Amino acid sequence: MIPKDATTTELTRDVAIIGAGPSGLTAAYRLQQAGHTVAVIEARERVGGRTWSNHIDGAFLEIGGQWVSPDQTALISLISELGLKTFSRYRDGENLYRDPNGTMHRYTGDMFPANEKTQQEMVRLIEKLDALAAEIGAQQPWAHPKARELDTISFHHWLRTQSDDEEACNNIGLFIAGGMLTKPAHAFSALQAVLMAASAGSFSNLVDEDFILDKRVVGGMQSVSLALAQKVGAENIILGHPARVLRWQEPGEYPVRVEAEAFSEDGVASPADNVIVRAKYVVVAVPPNLYSRVHFVPALDRRQHQMHQHQSLGLVIKVHAVYPTPFWRDKGLSGTCFAANNLVQEIYDNTNYDPQTDQEESRGTLVGFVSDEAADKMFTISAEERKARILDSMAQMLGEETKNPIVYYESDWGAEEWTRGAYAASYDLGGLHRYGADQLTPVGPIYWSCSDIASDGYQHVDGAVRMGEKTAATLDAKLK
Ligand SMILES: Cc1cc2nc3c(=O)[nH]c(=O)nc-3n(C[C@H](O)[C@H](O)[C@H](O)COP(=O)(O)OP(=O)(O)OC[C@H]3O[C@@H](n4cnc5c(N)ncnc54)[C@H](O)[C@@H]3O)c2cc1C
């Protein structure tokens, strides 16, 4: 127990919310709109969680989540409600595909220019996955009659039961493995892949980068959380205070007592500034891999303890490289590159829209991704060597100029104590059908809310918003 001394602040609210990411802040805002009082407790000294924009060496970078797709209607409505604007990703010109032999191909449209047989196989696999996503859906994939069968085979092996074309399997695998769950395709099940596809509307939507990476928020995705925080009010948001203890069976009208420690991100504890929030309900709006960082009193039950150990975040390095101009456009290239066998498997033009001048920045920005096992290897070498290897890999696709950015930065969410990976959590092999039905079950006054347990918008900011709204609606009904 965190000792209560003379200066510890004690707040009493209808709902305590742990985590000031998009999910926790959406829940807080909707609850307030419904007339309830809230306090949001956040470990970091900023809001936004896995969405975070910052200026690095003079360049504006979206270090975390950024893209919005047309199916993400909860997020799109919220953006407009908050008075924020979006802009389209640059997509003129030809894309590049590097085949397994290292040969570069220019192409347009959403089908990689592989040989005819591989293309046919890819189309067949996409149709198969679209059909499964439509049949199983994102709401209760664990309840489908095929759930166990699909959840006990890895996506890697499932693809190879469907096709003997290795290039087609690797290309299709990329969209879910490196591209979304950021785990090797042997580490998660075919059912988890189907959930990923269904949550985005279809597998075809994931394959179509013009759909899934459609728009960005002017000023960065973190603006959504910053705007929500402004609505909720600074007096109701406690930054730099990890929730350490959650008591949920206290006597009286307020069964919840959250004890939050004043503990800065650089490791300085200020015990005199500890905060205690007493509440009727609590929303735990942090990814499931962090639930066990909180000491629950009394302890959660066996099922919860087991379930949380089967959900883990993937790992990806989001690489930002800024150049004096978007030089690739002069070559008629969009900046979009795919190479399933490369260190950097995906690259996109990530040039910013400047809200001050209301036009695109003159500097060009590329963003690339190094996923799962390749990311593991990169973190065993020095920062200089890693940068050289990553830029080499990008230059293999976009040319020598790529090797000389004026700003270079790697988003490393695996090293962030209050996230521990990217982009979001997924179950290990067999976990989704075994535990999925219980992932949203409240425990007494404790409710769970984050993108990692969303159905529509799963793994995305949209899912975080949907979960925040759903949890707020449930608690509003209970509080009335
Ligand atoms: C590199 C990267 C790229 C991404 N790209 C996209 C994209 O392009 N589009 C998209 O839609 N999504 C993207 N995502 C995913 C998206 O950012 C997340 O799905 C979303 O931010 C999840 O929101 P959340 O509120 O559920 O959780 P989070 O954003 O993780 O917020 C949880 C909050 O809880 C806090 N917290 C944790 N433990 C405690 C504790 N004990 N006490 C108090 N506070 C605590 C954390 O500090 C954090 O602020 C990306 C993510 C990353 C990392």
Side-chain angles (χ1 to χ4, degrees), residues 17-25 40-52 62-69 72 75 212-213 215-216 221 225 238 241-244 258 260 265 284-287 290-291 293-294 313 316-318 320 369 411-413 416-419 421-424 449-453 457-465 467:
I17 294 161
I18 301 175
S23 201
L25 287 170
V40 185
I41 299 143
E42 168 56 49
R44 290 179 164 104
E45 283 149 15
R46 61 167 182 83
V47 301
R50 281 168 274 175
T51 65
W52 182 23
E62 295 230 49
I63 296 166
Q66 60 167 64
W67 281 297
V68 187
S69 58
Q72 296 178 343
L75 174 60
I212 201 76
L213 312 180
K215 291 207 174 0
R216 291 172 56 196
M221 183 68 94
S225 291
I238 303 132
H241 277 72
R244 300 293 198 201
V258 182
E265 284 179 69
V284 178
V286 314
L290 296 182
Y291 293 165
R293 294 301 311 280
V294 180
L313 267 77
V316 68
I317 310 173
K318 182 177 181 182
H320 312 258
F369 296 92
S411 302
D412 175 14
W413 289 87
E416 290 270 326
E417 180 174 14
W418 299 109
T419 302
Y423 308 111
S449 180
C450 59
S451 70
D452 315 77
I453 50 175
Y458 165 56
Q459 292 239 342
H460 287 92
V461 178
D462 179 66
V465 169
M467 286 300 303

Side-chain angles (χ1 to χ4, degrees), residues 93-220:
E94 290 178 302
N95 302 340
L96 292 173
Y97 171 66
R98 192 166 193 263
D99 72 22
N101 305 317
T103 308
M104 296 300 305
H105 305 264
R106 294 171 77 116
Y107 72 103
T108 52
D110 56 16
M111 179 49 69
F112 297 163
N115 67 57
E116 207 180 311
K117 175 180 170 274
T118 297
Q119 283 202 19
Q120 280 169 4
E121 284 297 274
M122 286 178 67
V123 170
R124 211 172 53 74
L125 289 169
I126 292 169
E127 284 171 1
K128 179 97 190 172
L129 282 159
D130 274 344
L132 280 172
E135 180 187 332
I136 294 175
Q139 304 306 318
Q140 294 183 309
W142 45 82
H144 192 274
K146 288 182 189 153
R148 184 180 165 79
E149 176 195 333
L150 288 170
D151 204 32
T152 49
I153 182 167
S154 76
F155 189 47
H156 174 98
H157 288 103
W158 180 85
L159 284 167
R160 280 143 188 92
T161 62
Q162 305 296 313
S163 172
D164 59 7
D165 188 310
E166 195 58 17
E167 187 178 347
C169 290
N170 280 331
N171 285 343
I172 294 299
L174 166 70
F175 291 111
I176 302 267
M180 286 290 155
L181 302 182
T182 62
K183 291 179 175 177
H186 61 252
F188 59 87
S189 73
L191 186 67
Q192 187 78 55
V194 170
L195 165 61
M196 188 69 244
S199 72
S202 68
F203 189 79
S204 291
N205 285 348
L206 292 184
V207 174
D208 180 359
E209 75 278 0
D210 287 345
F211 181 92
I212 201 76
L213 312 180
D214 183 27
K215 291 207 174 0
R216 291 172 56 196
V217 178
V218 176

